[in-house]
Amino acid sequence: MFALLQKLDATLFEFINGLSGEIPFFDHFFRFTALYSSTIFALYLVRLWFWGKEKELNRRAALRATLAAALGLMINQIIGGIFYRPRPYTVLPAHLLIPHTGDASFPSDHATGSFALAFGLKGRLRHLPAGILLAFAVLVAFARVYAGVHQRPAAGGPGF
């Protein structure tokens, strides 16, 4: 069963990453998203902290989201250290659209941070629907696979 899930995982990675290199607009869009999503979220948190009509509400939301992301990233480091999963480009043919690192592929720091920030801000802000933040987090996770540096986690555990 685990071998079947690993095969499905590799097939999905190859399908999503195989889309890269076909349409330059999408390559640029997903490359930008994969590289700069953290900066986009950081700028949004700065905006919440310094501007807006409901400064106190915005600041509490920004702080809560930042703490959620920090906690998620700390947990990621522990999981990545225990269940090291190689980057997909080291074991599968891949189109790499962005610079890569040699650290663990799963769990993804970018996806974890994006979802933690989105859920930390969810329901706390009146000017931005939570669905937009969650959709952006999904976009970040997809972009990282599209760019070749991550793959979705295999059900049943990390690794190939």
Side-chain angles (χ1 to χ4, degrees):
M1 177 75 165
F2 187 66
L4 180 64
L5 292 173
Q6 289 176 324
K7 177 69 175 158
L8 176 63
D9 186 41
T11 301
L12 285 171
F13 170 78
E14 289 169 347
F15 173 74
I16 294 170
N17 182 249
L19 298 171
S20 66
E22 298 295 321
I23 301 173
F25 171 79
F26 287 133
D27 288 355
H28 292 296
F29 176 75
F30 288 122
R31 181 179 188 278
F32 179 86
T33 303
L35 283 172
Y36 300 109
S37 58
S38 299
T39 303
I40 292 167
F41 264 118
L43 290 172
Y44 183 67
L45 291 172
V46 167
R47 181 235 174 262
L48 285 177
W49 193 263
F50 290 107
W51 293 281
K53 294 178 184 175
E54 300 174 324
K55 236 181 216 179
E56 188 60 33
L57 175 69
N58 289 352
R59 285 185 174 183
R60 279 187 275 152
L63 184 59
R64 187 176 6 257
T66 302
L67 291 174
L71 178 62
L73 293 172
M74 284 190 291
I75 292 169
N76 263 17
Q77 297 305 308
I78 295 167
I79 293 170
I82 295 171
F83 301 106
Y84 180 81
R85 181 175 186 162
R87 297 276 175 169
Y89 59 81
T90 64
V91 293
L92 296 170
H95 298 112
L96 287 174
L97 298 181
I98 62 176
H100 50 80
T101 62
D103 62 345
S105 171
F106 175 79
S108 165
D109 288 339
H110 284 82
T112 298
S114 295
F115 278 102
L117 289 168
F119 278 106
L121 293 170
K122 183 179 175 291
R124 310 282 188 236
L125 307 173
R126 296 181 186 155
H127 65 279
L128 185 65
I132 292 174
L133 294 168
L134 294 174
F136 186 66
V138 169
L139 181 68
V140 170
F142 182 86
R144 301 291 292 176
V145 176
Y146 183 96
V149 294
H150 283 293
Q151 62 199 70
R152 66 164 200 77
F160 275 97

